[in-house]
Amino acid sequence: MTTGARVRPQLAYLTEQLNELKQRGTYFKLRVLEDEQGPLCTYDGKRVINLASNNYLGLCDHPKLREAAIEAIRKYGVGSGAVRTIAGTMRIHMELEEKIAAFKGVEACVVFQSGFTANAGTVSSILGKEDFILSDELNHASIIDGARLSRAKIKVFRHKDVAHCEELLREIEKEPGRKLIITDGVFSMDGDIGPVDKLCDLADRYGALMMVDDAHASGVLGRNGRGSVDHFHCTDRVDVQVGTLSKAIGALGGYVCGSRDLIDYLYHRARPFLFSTSHPPSVAATCIAAFDLLEREPERIERLWSNTRYFKEQLAATGFDIGGRTTPASETPITPILVGEGRATMEFSRALFEAGLMATGIAFPTVPEGKARIRTIMTSEHTREQIDQALEILTTVARKINLLANS
Ligand SMILES: Cc1ncc(COP(=O)(O)O)c(C=O)c1O
Protein backbone atom coordinates (compact mmCIF):
# COMPACT_ATOMS: atom_id res chain seq x y z
CA MET A 1 0.00 0.00 0.00
CA THR A 2 1.39 3.44 -0.89
CA THR A 3 0.88 6.45 1.31
CA GLY A 4 2.58 9.03 -0.95
CA ALA A 5 0.90 12.39 -1.60
CA ARG A 6 0.11 11.72 -5.25
CA VAL A 7 -2.58 14.12 -6.49
CA ARG A 8 -4.99 12.49 -8.92
CA PRO A 9 -5.65 14.93 -11.77
CA GLN A 10 -9.39 14.69 -11.08
CA LEU A 11 -8.76 16.29 -7.68
CA ALA A 12 -6.25 18.92 -8.78
CA TYR A 13 -8.93 21.62 -8.63
CA LEU A 14 -9.21 21.11 -4.87
CA THR A 15 -5.46 21.52 -4.46
CA GLU A 16 -5.66 24.76 -6.43
CA GLN A 17 -8.36 26.08 -4.14
CA LEU A 18 -6.35 25.16 -1.07
CA ASN A 19 -3.36 26.95 -2.55
CA GLU A 20 -5.54 30.03 -2.95
CA LEU A 21 -6.42 29.89 0.76
CA LYS A 22 -2.73 29.59 1.57
CA GLN A 23 -1.98 32.66 -0.55
CA ARG A 24 -4.74 34.61 1.22
CA GLY A 25 -3.33 33.56 4.58
CA THR A 26 -6.59 31.93 5.73
CA TYR A 27 -5.56 28.29 5.37
CA PHE A 28 -5.50 26.55 8.73
CA LYS A 29 -4.40 23.29 10.28
CA LEU A 30 -6.59 21.64 12.89
CA ARG A 31 -5.26 22.18 16.38
CA VAL A 32 -5.31 18.95 18.37
CA LEU A 33 -6.48 18.89 21.98
CA GLU A 34 -4.45 16.46 24.01
CA ASP A 35 -6.28 16.52 27.32
CA GLU A 36 -9.71 17.55 28.58
CA GLN A 37 -11.66 20.46 27.20
CA GLY A 38 -11.08 23.02 29.96
CA PRO A 39 -10.08 26.65 30.64
CA LEU A 40 -6.43 25.59 30.68
CA CYS A 41 -5.50 22.75 28.36
CA THR A 42 -2.97 21.38 25.90
CA TYR A 43 -3.24 21.86 22.15
CA ASP A 44 -0.47 20.60 19.88
CA GLY A 45 1.73 19.99 22.91
CA LYS A 46 1.37 23.55 24.22
CA ARG A 47 -0.29 24.53 27.50
CA VAL A 48 -2.69 27.40 26.75
CA ILE A 49 -5.55 29.33 28.28
CA ASN A 50 -8.56 28.31 26.26
CA LEU A 51 -10.92 31.03 25.02
CA ALA A 52 -12.16 29.04 22.04
CA SER A 53 -14.51 26.34 23.27
CA ASN A 54 -18.30 26.29 23.63
CA ASN A 55 -17.92 24.54 26.97
CA TYR A 56 -19.76 27.45 28.64
CA LEU A 57 -20.45 25.71 31.94
CA GLY A 58 -17.49 23.37 32.12
CA LEU A 59 -19.69 20.30 31.69
CA CYS A 60 -17.51 18.53 29.08
CA ASP A 61 -15.49 16.89 31.82
CA HIS A 62 -17.81 17.15 34.83
CA PRO A 63 -17.49 14.12 37.17
CA LYS A 64 -21.27 13.59 37.38
CA LEU A 65 -21.59 13.50 33.59
CA ARG A 66 -18.66 11.11 33.28
CA GLU A 67 -20.24 8.80 35.82
CA ALA A 68 -23.57 8.89 34.01
CA ALA A 69 -21.87 8.00 30.72
CA ILE A 70 -19.87 5.14 32.24
CA GLU A 71 -22.90 3.72 34.00
CA ALA A 72 -24.91 3.81 30.77
CA ILE A 73 -22.11 2.02 28.91
CA ARG A 74 -22.05 -0.69 31.60
CA LYS A 75 -25.82 -1.09 31.43
CA TYR A 76 -26.55 -0.67 27.72
CA GLY A 77 -23.27 -0.97 25.79
CA VAL A 78 -21.76 1.60 23.47
CA GLY A 79 -24.13 1.83 20.51
CA SER A 80 -27.83 1.93 19.74
CA GLY A 81 -27.51 -0.28 16.68
CA ALA A 82 -30.10 1.36 14.44
CA VAL A 83 -31.90 4.53 13.46
CA ARG A 84 -34.66 5.63 15.85
CA THR A 85 -37.54 4.56 13.59
CA ILE A 86 -36.26 1.03 13.00
CA ALA A 87 -34.84 -0.45 16.18
CA GLY A 88 -32.66 2.27 17.69
CA THR A 89 -35.01 4.01 20.13
CA MET A 90 -33.80 3.08 23.61
CA ARG A 91 -35.65 3.90 26.83
CA ILE A 92 -32.90 6.40 27.65
CA HIS A 93 -33.57 8.35 24.41
CA MET A 94 -37.19 8.75 25.45
CA GLU A 95 -36.14 9.79 28.97
CA LEU A 96 -33.88 12.49 27.55
CA GLU A 97 -36.64 13.85 25.31
CA GLU A 98 -39.08 13.92 28.23
CA LYS A 99 -36.50 15.63 30.40
CA ILE A 100 -35.82 18.38 27.86
CA ALA A 101 -39.53 18.95 27.17
CA ALA A 102 -40.20 19.36 30.90
CA PHE A 103 -37.20 21.68 31.29
CA LYS A 104 -38.38 23.87 28.43
CA GLY A 105 -42.03 23.79 29.50
CA VAL A 106 -43.33 22.40 26.20
CA GLU A 107 -45.36 19.35 25.22
CA ALA A 108 -42.67 17.37 23.50
CA CYS A 109 -39.11 17.16 22.23
CA VAL A 110 -37.15 15.20 19.64
CA VAL A 111 -33.39 14.72 19.84
CA PHE A 112 -31.26 14.79 16.70
CA GLN A 113 -27.64 13.73 16.24
CA SER A 114 -26.48 17.36 16.21
CA GLY A 115 -27.76 20.91 16.38
CA PHE A 116 -26.91 21.18 12.71
CA THR A 117 -29.18 18.29 11.74
CA ALA A 118 -31.90 19.52 14.12
CA ASN A 119 -32.07 22.82 12.23
CA ALA A 120 -31.55 21.49 8.73
CA GLY A 121 -33.82 18.47 9.23
CA THR A 122 -36.64 20.53 10.71
CA VAL A 123 -36.72 23.47 8.31
CA SER A 124 -36.47 21.17 5.29
CA SER A 125 -39.29 18.90 6.44
CA ILE A 126 -41.93 21.33 7.71
CA LEU A 127 -41.97 23.56 4.59
CA GLY A 128 -42.32 22.96 0.87
CA LYS A 129 -41.85 24.87 -2.34
CA GLU A 130 -45.08 26.89 -1.99
CA ASP A 131 -43.90 28.31 1.33
CA PHE A 132 -41.74 31.24 2.48
CA ILE A 133 -38.89 31.50 4.95
CA LEU A 134 -37.99 34.84 6.53
CA SER A 135 -34.50 34.46 7.86
CA ASP A 136 -32.06 36.85 9.60
CA GLU A 137 -29.01 37.44 7.41
CA LEU A 138 -26.68 36.18 10.17
CA ASN A 139 -28.55 32.96 10.95
CA HIS A 140 -26.47 29.82 11.27
CA ALA A 141 -25.40 27.78 8.23
CA SER A 142 -27.62 24.86 9.29
CA ILE A 143 -30.70 27.08 8.96
CA ILE A 144 -29.55 28.30 5.57
CA ASP A 145 -28.96 24.74 4.35
CA GLY A 146 -32.32 23.57 5.73
CA ALA A 147 -34.05 26.48 4.01
CA ARG A 148 -32.42 25.58 0.68
CA LEU A 149 -33.33 21.90 1.06
CA SER A 150 -36.97 22.78 1.76
CA ARG A 151 -37.20 24.50 -1.67
CA ALA A 152 -39.29 27.23 -0.02
CA LYS A 153 -38.76 30.82 -1.17
CA ILE A 154 -36.14 32.45 1.05
CA LYS A 155 -36.46 36.09 2.11
CA VAL A 156 -33.47 37.33 4.05
CA PHE A 157 -34.00 40.29 6.39
CA ARG A 158 -31.21 42.59 7.57
CA HIS A 159 -29.65 41.55 10.84
CA LYS A 160 -32.16 41.97 13.71
CA ASP A 161 -34.12 44.43 11.54
CA VAL A 162 -37.71 43.72 12.59
CA ALA A 163 -39.09 46.49 10.34
CA HIS A 164 -37.35 44.93 7.34
CA CYS A 165 -38.78 41.52 8.24
CA GLU A 166 -42.25 43.10 8.38
CA GLU A 167 -41.72 44.77 5.01
CA LEU A 168 -40.90 41.36 3.49
CA LEU A 169 -43.91 39.78 5.21
CA ARG A 170 -46.17 42.48 3.78
CA GLU A 171 -44.89 41.79 0.26
CA ILE A 172 -45.98 38.16 0.51
CA GLU A 173 -49.04 38.64 2.71
CA LYS A 174 -51.49 37.61 -0.03
CA GLU A 175 -49.47 34.59 -1.17
CA PRO A 176 -51.06 31.28 -0.22
CA GLY A 177 -47.88 29.61 1.16
CA ARG A 178 -47.00 29.29 4.84
CA LYS A 179 -44.56 31.77 6.29
CA LEU A 180 -41.84 30.85 8.77
CA ILE A 181 -39.79 33.47 10.63
CA ILE A 182 -36.43 32.18 11.88
CA THR A 183 -33.84 33.79 14.10
CA ASP A 184 -30.89 32.64 16.15
CA GLY A 185 -31.47 33.31 19.86
CA VAL A 186 -27.79 34.25 20.22
CA PHE A 187 -25.76 34.90 17.08
CA SER A 188 -22.70 32.70 17.07
CA MET A 189 -20.14 35.07 15.56
CA ASP A 190 -21.14 38.39 17.19
CA GLY A 191 -22.69 37.22 20.45
CA ASP A 192 -25.71 39.51 20.19
CA ILE A 193 -29.26 38.44 21.09
CA GLY A 194 -32.03 38.04 18.50
CA PRO A 195 -35.20 40.16 18.89
CA VAL A 196 -37.29 37.08 19.68
CA ASP A 197 -40.20 38.94 21.32
CA LYS A 198 -40.59 41.45 18.49
CA LEU A 199 -40.41 38.76 15.82
CA CYS A 200 -43.09 36.83 17.77
CA ASP A 201 -45.29 39.96 17.52
CA LEU A 202 -44.83 39.86 13.75
CA ALA A 203 -45.53 36.13 13.60
CA ASP A 204 -48.79 36.71 15.52
CA ARG A 205 -49.76 39.65 13.34
CA TYR A 206 -49.09 37.91 10.03
CA GLY A 207 -50.06 34.36 10.99
CA ALA A 208 -46.50 33.14 10.48
CA LEU A 209 -44.80 30.22 12.18
CA MET A 210 -42.00 31.21 14.57
CA MET A 211 -38.72 29.34 15.01
CA VAL A 212 -35.71 30.12 17.24
CA ASP A 213 -32.30 28.44 17.19
CA ASP A 214 -31.05 28.58 20.77
CA ALA A 215 -27.75 26.76 20.25
CA HIS A 216 -25.72 29.46 22.04
CA ALA A 217 -28.51 30.55 24.39
CA SER A 218 -29.19 27.15 25.97
CA GLY A 219 -27.45 26.97 29.34
CA VAL A 220 -26.62 30.67 29.05
CA LEU A 221 -29.82 32.77 28.92
CA GLY A 222 -33.19 32.39 30.63
CA ARG A 223 -34.11 30.76 33.94
CA ASN A 224 -31.47 28.05 34.71
CA GLY A 225 -30.29 28.37 31.10
CA ARG A 226 -33.64 27.65 29.45
CA GLY A 227 -32.62 29.86 26.54
CA SER A 228 -33.61 33.06 24.78
CA VAL A 229 -37.24 32.05 24.36
CA ASP A 230 -37.58 31.80 28.11
CA HIS A 231 -35.52 35.00 28.55
CA PHE A 232 -38.15 36.86 26.47
CA HIS A 233 -41.11 35.00 28.09
CA CYS A 234 -42.13 33.71 24.66
CA THR A 235 -42.46 29.97 25.28
CA ASP A 236 -46.10 29.89 24.15
CA ARG A 237 -45.40 32.01 21.07
CA VAL A 238 -42.55 30.06 19.48
CA ASP A 239 -43.64 27.04 17.43
CA VAL A 240 -40.20 25.52 16.97
CA GLN A 241 -37.42 25.84 19.58
CA VAL A 242 -34.09 24.33 18.58
CA GLY A 243 -31.26 23.75 21.00
CA THR A 244 -27.96 21.95 21.05
CA LEU A 245 -26.51 19.39 23.42
CA SER A 246 -23.01 20.06 22.09
CA LYS A 247 -22.19 23.39 23.71
CA ALA A 248 -23.26 24.30 27.28
CA ILE A 249 -24.68 20.80 27.81
CA GLY A 250 -21.18 19.48 27.18
CA ALA A 251 -21.88 16.41 25.05
CA LEU A 252 -23.29 16.05 21.52
CA GLY A 253 -26.61 16.42 19.75
CA GLY A 254 -29.43 18.81 19.02
CA TYR A 255 -33.11 18.93 19.83
CA VAL A 256 -36.38 20.45 18.75
CA CYS A 257 -39.06 21.41 21.28
CA GLY A 258 -42.67 22.21 20.51
CA SER A 259 -46.14 20.69 20.31
CA ARG A 260 -46.71 16.92 20.41
CA ASP A 261 -47.87 17.04 16.78
CA LEU A 262 -44.79 18.93 15.61
CA ILE A 263 -42.57 16.31 17.23
CA ASP A 264 -44.64 13.38 15.89
CA TYR A 265 -44.42 14.94 12.45
CA LEU A 266 -40.61 15.23 12.73
CA TYR A 267 -40.46 11.57 13.85
CA HIS A 268 -42.11 10.74 10.53
CA ARG A 269 -40.52 13.24 8.16
CA ALA A 270 -37.22 14.74 9.36
CA ARG A 271 -34.61 13.05 7.22
CA PRO A 272 -31.60 13.09 9.62
CA PHE A 273 -33.90 11.51 12.25
CA LEU A 274 -35.12 8.88 9.79
CA PHE A 275 -31.87 8.04 8.07
CA SER A 276 -29.09 8.29 10.65
CA THR A 277 -28.35 6.14 13.69
CA SER A 278 -29.39 7.43 17.11
CA HIS A 279 -27.06 8.52 19.90
CA PRO A 280 -25.06 6.01 21.90
CA PRO A 281 -26.85 5.52 25.24
CA SER A 282 -23.90 7.09 27.07
CA VAL A 283 -24.50 10.41 25.29
CA ALA A 284 -28.19 10.39 26.23
CA ALA A 285 -27.29 9.60 29.86
CA THR A 286 -24.70 12.39 29.90
CA CYS A 287 -27.24 14.91 28.66
CA ILE A 288 -29.84 13.85 31.25
CA ALA A 289 -27.22 14.41 33.97
CA ALA A 290 -26.39 17.81 32.47
CA PHE A 291 -30.01 19.02 32.61
CA ASP A 292 -30.14 17.86 36.26
CA LEU A 293 -27.08 20.02 36.93
CA LEU A 294 -28.60 23.09 35.27
CA GLU A 295 -31.51 22.79 37.69
CA ARG A 296 -29.34 22.09 40.73
CA GLU A 297 -26.34 24.37 40.19
CA PRO A 298 -27.52 27.72 38.82
CA GLU A 299 -24.36 29.26 40.33
CA ARG A 300 -22.45 27.97 37.28
CA ILE A 301 -24.49 30.29 35.07
CA GLU A 302 -23.98 33.18 37.50
CA ARG A 303 -20.22 32.57 37.37
CA LEU A 304 -20.33 32.49 33.58
CA TRP A 305 -21.99 35.90 33.52
CA SER A 306 -19.75 37.50 36.10
CA ASN A 307 -16.65 36.27 34.21
CA THR A 308 -18.18 37.54 30.97
CA ARG A 309 -18.87 41.01 32.36
CA TYR A 310 -15.36 41.33 33.78
CA PHE A 311 -13.66 40.15 30.58
CA LYS A 312 -15.71 42.46 28.34
CA GLU A 313 -15.13 45.48 30.60
CA GLN A 314 -11.36 44.90 30.62
CA LEU A 315 -11.19 44.36 26.86
CA ALA A 316 -13.13 47.55 26.16
CA ALA A 317 -11.06 49.54 28.68
CA THR A 318 -7.86 48.36 26.98
CA GLY A 319 -9.12 49.68 23.64
CA PHE A 320 -10.07 46.52 21.75
CA ASP A 321 -12.89 46.76 19.22
CA ILE A 322 -15.25 44.16 20.69
CA GLY A 323 -18.19 44.93 18.41
CA GLY A 324 -20.75 47.68 18.45
CA ARG A 325 -18.91 49.97 16.00
CA THR A 326 -19.06 48.29 12.59
CA THR A 327 -20.53 45.02 13.83
CA PRO A 328 -23.31 44.19 16.28
CA ALA A 329 -22.52 44.66 19.97
CA SER A 330 -22.02 41.41 21.84
CA GLU A 331 -24.36 40.81 24.79
CA THR A 332 -23.29 37.30 25.79
CA PRO A 333 -20.17 35.23 26.64
CA ILE A 334 -19.22 35.24 22.93
CA THR A 335 -16.99 38.29 22.50
CA PRO A 336 -15.44 39.00 19.12
CA ILE A 337 -12.22 41.01 18.91
CA LEU A 338 -12.40 42.73 15.54
CA VAL A 339 -9.28 42.79 13.41
CA GLY A 340 -10.68 43.26 9.89
CA GLU A 341 -8.40 41.59 7.39
CA GLY A 342 -8.34 37.76 7.21
CA ARG A 343 -4.57 37.29 6.98
CA ALA A 344 -3.85 39.67 9.87
CA THR A 345 -6.48 37.91 11.98
CA MET A 346 -4.97 34.48 11.41
CA GLU A 347 -1.49 35.84 12.18
CA PHE A 348 -2.81 37.44 15.37
CA SER A 349 -4.40 34.15 16.39
CA ARG A 350 -1.15 32.24 15.74
CA ALA A 351 0.87 34.78 17.75
CA LEU A 352 -1.61 34.52 20.64
CA PHE A 353 -1.22 30.76 20.59
CA GLU A 354 2.56 31.05 20.72
CA ALA A 355 2.16 33.36 23.71
CA GLY A 356 -0.09 30.83 25.50
CA LEU A 357 -3.65 31.73 24.48
CA MET A 358 -6.02 29.66 22.35
CA ALA A 359 -8.36 32.10 20.58
CA THR A 360 -9.55 31.16 17.11
CA GLY A 361 -9.34 33.48 14.13
CA ILE A 362 -12.51 33.60 12.05
CA ALA A 363 -12.42 34.98 8.52
CA PHE A 364 -14.45 35.01 5.29
CA PRO A 365 -16.63 33.10 4.39
CA THR A 366 -17.69 32.40 8.00
CA VAL A 367 -17.94 36.18 8.57
CA PRO A 368 -18.19 38.95 5.92
CA GLU A 369 -15.03 40.16 4.11
CA GLY A 370 -13.29 42.86 6.16
CA LYS A 371 -14.88 41.70 9.42
CA ALA A 372 -12.48 38.96 10.39
CA ARG A 373 -12.07 38.57 14.11
CA ILE A 374 -10.73 36.59 16.99
CA ARG A 375 -13.76 34.98 18.56
CA THR A 376 -13.48 34.50 22.30
CA ILE A 377 -15.85 32.53 24.50
CA MET A 378 -15.81 32.88 28.27
CA THR A 379 -16.79 29.99 30.54
CA SER A 380 -17.88 29.62 34.15
CA GLU A 381 -14.68 27.70 34.89
CA HIS A 382 -12.08 30.36 34.03
CA THR A 383 -10.47 31.70 37.18
CA ARG A 384 -9.89 35.43 37.60
CA GLU A 385 -6.18 34.75 37.37
CA GLN A 386 -6.58 32.96 34.03
CA ILE A 387 -8.74 35.77 32.69
CA ASP A 388 -6.15 38.38 33.74
CA GLN A 389 -3.41 36.33 32.15
CA ALA A 390 -5.44 36.05 28.92
CA LEU A 391 -5.96 39.83 28.93
CA GLU A 392 -2.27 40.41 29.38
CA ILE A 393 -1.38 38.13 26.46
CA LEU A 394 -4.03 39.75 24.25
CA THR A 395 -2.74 43.22 25.08
CA THR A 396 0.94 42.43 24.60
CA VAL A 397 0.42 40.69 21.25
CA ALA A 398 -2.08 43.30 20.00
CA ARG A 399 0.36 46.13 20.79
CA LYS A 400 2.98 44.44 18.64
CA ILE A 401 0.62 44.57 15.64
CA ASN A 402 -0.80 48.05 16.43
CA LEU A 403 -4.31 46.77 16.98
CA LEU A 404 -5.12 48.82 20.05
CA ALA A 405 -6.88 52.15 19.69
CA ASN A 406 -5.19 53.83 22.67
CA SER A 407 -1.82 52.08 22.70
C1 LIG B 1 -26.26 29.10 16.03
C2 LIG B 1 -25.88 27.66 15.87
N1 LIG B 1 -26.83 26.77 15.53
C3 LIG B 1 -26.54 25.46 15.39
C4 LIG B 1 -25.27 24.97 15.57
C5 LIG B 1 -24.97 23.52 15.38
O1 LIG B 1 -24.91 22.86 16.59
P1 LIG B 1 -24.09 21.49 16.71
O2 LIG B 1 -22.66 21.84 16.94
O3 LIG B 1 -24.74 20.77 17.84
O4 LIG B 1 -24.27 20.74 15.41
C6 LIG B 1 -24.25 25.85 15.93
C7 LIG B 1 -22.87 25.33 16.16
O5 LIG B 1 -21.91 25.74 15.63
C8 LIG B 1 -24.56 27.22 16.07
O6 LIG B 1 -23.59 28.11 16.38
Side-chain angles (χ1 to χ4, degrees), residues 351-387:
L352 289 172
F353 185 78
E354 286 314 310
L357 184 69
M358 173 79 170
T360 320
I362 310 226
F364 180 80
T366 310
V367 293
E369 285 279 20
K371 294 196 173 158
R373 79 266 323 256
I374 300 289
R375 185 179 70 156
T376 67
I377 298 187
M378 188 40 64
T379 79
S380 59
E381 301 315 284
H382 285 92
T383 62
R384 195 46 69 89
E385 200 187 353
Q386 286 164 345
I387 301 174

Coordinates of all heavy atoms in Angstrom, one line a residue, residues 351-387:
A351 N 0.0 34.1 16.8 CA 0.9 34.8 17.7 C 0.3 34.6 19.2 O 1.1 34.4 20.1 CB 1.0 36.3 17.4
L352 N -1.0 34.7 19.3 CA -1.6 34.5 20.6 C -1.3 33.1 21.1 O -1.0 32.9 22.3 CB -3.1 34.7 20.6 CG -3.6 36.2 20.4 CD1 -5.1 36.2 20.1 CD2 -3.3 37.1 21.6
F353 N -1.5 32.2 20.2 CA -1.2 30.8 20.6 C 0.2 30.6 21.1 O 0.5 30.0 22.1 CB -1.5 29.8 19.4 CG -1.4 28.4 19.7 CD1 -2.5 27.8 20.4 CD2 -0.3 27.7 19.4 CE1 -2.4 26.4 20.8 CE2 -0.2 26.3 19.7 CZ -1.2 25.7 20.4
E354 N 1.1 31.2 20.3 CA 2.6 31.0 20.7 C 2.8 31.6 22.1 O 3.6 31.2 22.9 CB 3.5 31.8 19.7 CG 3.6 31.0 18.4 CD 3.9 29.5 18.6 OE1 4.8 29.2 19.4 OE2 3.2 28.7 18.0
A355 N 2.0 32.7 22.4 CA 2.2 33.4 23.7 C 1.3 32.7 24.8 O 1.4 33.1 26.0 CB 1.7 34.8 23.6
G356 N 0.6 31.6 24.5 CA -0.1 30.8 25.5 C -1.6 31.0 25.6 O -2.2 30.7 26.6
L357 N -2.2 31.5 24.5 CA -3.7 31.7 24.5 C -4.3 31.1 23.2 O -3.9 31.4 22.1 CB -3.9 33.2 24.5 CG -5.4 33.6 24.6 CD1 -6.0 33.2 26.0 CD2 -5.6 35.1 24.4
M358 N -5.3 30.3 23.5 CA -6.0 29.7 22.3 C -7.3 30.5 22.1 O -8.2 30.6 22.9 CB -6.4 28.2 22.8 CG -7.3 27.5 21.8 SD -6.4 26.9 20.4 CE -7.6 25.9 19.6
A359 N -7.2 31.2 21.0 CA -8.4 32.1 20.6 C -8.4 32.1 19.1 O -7.5 32.5 18.4 CB -8.1 33.5 21.1
T360 N -9.5 31.5 18.5 CA -9.6 31.2 17.1 C -9.8 32.4 16.2 O -10.7 33.2 16.6 CB -10.7 30.1 16.9 OG1 -10.6 29.2 17.9 CG2 -10.5 29.4 15.5
G361 N -9.1 32.4 15.1 CA -9.3 33.5 14.1 C -10.5 33.0 13.2 O -10.5 31.9 12.8
I362 N -11.4 33.9 12.9 CA -12.5 33.6 12.1 C -12.5 34.6 10.9 O -12.6 35.8 11.1 CB -13.8 33.6 12.8 CG1 -13.7 32.8 14.1 CG2 -15.0 33.2 11.9 CD1 -14.7 31.9 14.5
A363 N -12.5 34.1 9.7 CA -12.4 35.0 8.5 C -13.5 34.6 7.5 O -14.3 33.7 7.7 CB -11.0 34.9 7.9
F364 N -13.5 35.3 6.4 CA -14.5 35.0 5.3 C -14.2 33.6 4.8 O -13.1 33.2 4.8 CB -14.2 36.0 4.1 CG -15.1 35.8 3.0 CD1 -16.3 36.3 2.9 CD2 -14.6 35.0 1.9 CE1 -17.2 36.1 1.8 CE2 -15.4 34.8 0.8 CZ -16.7 35.3 0.7
P365 N -15.2 32.7 4.6 CA -16.6 33.1 4.4 C -17.5 32.9 5.6 O -18.7 33.2 5.6 CB -17.1 32.1 3.3 CG -16.3 30.9 3.6 CD -15.0 31.3 4.1
T366 N -16.9 32.6 6.8 CA -17.7 32.4 8.0 C -18.2 33.7 8.5 O -19.4 33.8 9.0 CB -16.8 31.8 9.1 OG1 -16.2 30.6 8.6 CG2 -17.7 31.3 10.3
V367 N -17.5 34.8 8.3 CA -17.9 36.2 8.6 C -17.7 37.0 7.3 O -16.9 36.6 6.5 CB -17.2 36.8 9.8 CG1 -17.6 36.1 11.1 CG2 -15.7 36.8 9.6
P368 N -18.4 38.2 7.1 CA -18.2 38.9 5.9 C -16.7 39.4 5.7 O -16.0 39.6 6.7 CB -19.1 40.2 6.1 CG -20.1 39.7 7.2 CD -19.4 38.7 8.0
E369 N -16.4 39.6 4.4 CA -15.0 40.2 4.1 C -14.8 41.4 4.9 O -15.7 42.3 5.1 CB -15.0 40.6 2.6 CG -14.9 39.4 1.6 CD -13.5 38.9 1.4 OE1 -12.6 39.0 2.3 OE2 -13.3 38.2 0.4
G370 N -13.6 41.6 5.4 CA -13.3 42.9 6.2 C -13.7 42.8 7.6 O -13.5 43.8 8.4
K371 N -14.4 41.7 8.0 CA -14.9 41.7 9.4 C -14.3 40.5 10.1 O -14.9 39.9 11.0 CB -16.4 41.7 9.5 CG -16.9 43.0 9.0 CD -18.4 43.3 9.3 CE -18.7 44.7 8.9 NZ -20.2 44.9 8.7
A372 N -13.1 40.1 9.7 CA -12.5 39.0 10.4 C -12.2 39.3 11.8 O -12.0 40.5 12.2 CB -11.2 38.6 9.7
R373 N -12.2 38.3 12.7 CA -12.1 38.6 14.1 C -11.5 37.4 14.8 O -11.5 36.2 14.3 CB -13.4 38.9 14.7 CG -14.4 37.8 15.0 CD -15.4 37.5 14.0 NE -16.0 38.5 13.2 CZ -17.3 39.0 13.4 NH1 -18.0 38.5 14.4 NH2 -17.8 39.9 12.6
I374 N -11.0 37.7 16.0 CA -10.7 36.6 17.0 C -12.0 36.4 17.8 O -12.6 37.4 18.3 CB -9.6 37.0 18.0 CG1 -8.3 37.4 17.3 CG2 -9.4 36.0 19.1 CD1 -7.6 36.2 16.7
R375 N -12.5 35.2 17.8 CA -13.8 35.0 18.6 C -13.4 34.4 19.9 O -12.8 33.3 20.0 CB -14.7 34.1 17.8 CG -16.1 34.0 18.6 CD -17.1 33.1 18.0 NE -16.7 31.7 18.0 CZ -17.6 30.7 17.9 NH1 -18.9 31.0 17.7 NH2 -17.2 29.5 17.9
T376 N -13.8 35.0 21.0 CA -13.5 34.5 22.3 C -14.8 34.0 22.9 O -15.8 34.6 22.7 CB -12.8 35.5 23.2 OG1 -13.8 36.6 23.5 CG2 -11.6 36.2 22.6
I377 N -14.7 33.0 23.7 CA -15.9 32.5 24.5 C -15.4 32.3 25.9 O -14.4 31.6 26.2 CB -16.4 31.2 23.9 CG1 -17.0 31.5 22.5 CG2 -17.6 30.7 24.8 CD1 -17.7 30.4 21.8
M378 N -16.1 33.0 26.8 CA -15.8 32.9 28.3 C -16.6 31.7 28.8 O -17.6 31.3 28.3 CB -16.3 34.2 28.9 CG -15.9 34.4 30.4 SD -14.2 33.8 30.8 CE -13.2 35.0 29.9
T379 N -16.1 31.1 29.9 CA -16.8 30.0 30.5 C -16.9 30.3 32.0 O -16.2 31.1 32.6 CB -16.1 28.6 30.3 OG1 -15.0 28.5 31.2 CG2 -15.7 28.4 28.9
S380 N -17.7 29.5 32.7 CA -17.9 29.6 34.1 C -16.6 29.1 34.9 O -16.4 29.5 36.0 CB -19.1 28.8 34.6 OG -18.9 27.4 34.3
E381 N -15.8 28.3 34.2 CA -14.7 27.7 34.9 C -13.4 28.5 34.8 O -12.4 28.1 35.5 CB -14.5 26.3 34.3 CG -15.7 25.4 34.5 CD -16.3 25.5 35.8 OE1 -15.8 24.9 36.8 OE2 -17.4 26.2 36.0
H382 N -13.3 29.6 34.0 CA -12.1 30.4 34.0 C -11.9 31.0 35.4 O -12.9 31.6 35.9 CB -12.1 31.4 32.9 CG -11.9 30.9 31.5 ND1 -13.0 30.5 30.7 CD2 -10.8 30.7 30.8 CE1 -12.5 30.0 29.6 NE2 -11.2 30.1 29.6
T383 N -10.7 31.0 35.9 CA -10.5 31.7 37.2 C -10.1 33.2 36.8 O -9.7 33.5 35.7 CB -9.3 31.1 37.9 OG1 -8.1 31.2 37.1 CG2 -9.5 29.6 38.3
R384 N -10.2 34.0 37.8 CA -9.9 35.4 37.6 C -8.4 35.6 37.1 O -8.1 36.3 36.3 CB -10.1 36.2 38.9 CG -10.2 37.7 38.8 CD -11.0 38.3 37.7 NE -12.5 38.1 37.8 CZ -13.3 38.9 38.3 NH1 -12.9 40.0 38.9 NH2 -14.6 38.7 38.3
E385 N -7.6 34.7 37.7 CA -6.2 34.7 37.4 C -6.0 34.4 35.9 O -5.2 35.0 35.2 CB -5.5 33.7 38.3 CG -4.0 33.9 38.4 CD -3.3 32.8 39.2 OE1 -4.1 31.9 39.7 OE2 -2.1 32.8 39.2
Q386 N -6.7 33.4 35.4 CA -6.6 33.0 34.0 C -7.1 34.1 33.1 O -6.5 34.3 32.0 CB -7.4 31.7 33.8 CG -6.7 30.4 34.3 CD -7.6 29.2 34.4 OE1 -8.8 29.4 34.3 NE2 -7.1 28.1 34.7
I387 N -8.2 34.7 33.5 CA -8.7 35.8 32.7 C -7.7 36.9 32.6 O -7.5 37.5 31.5 CB -10.1 36.3 33.2 CG1 -11.1 35.1 33.3 CG2 -10.7 37.4 32.4 CD1 -12.4 35.4 33.9

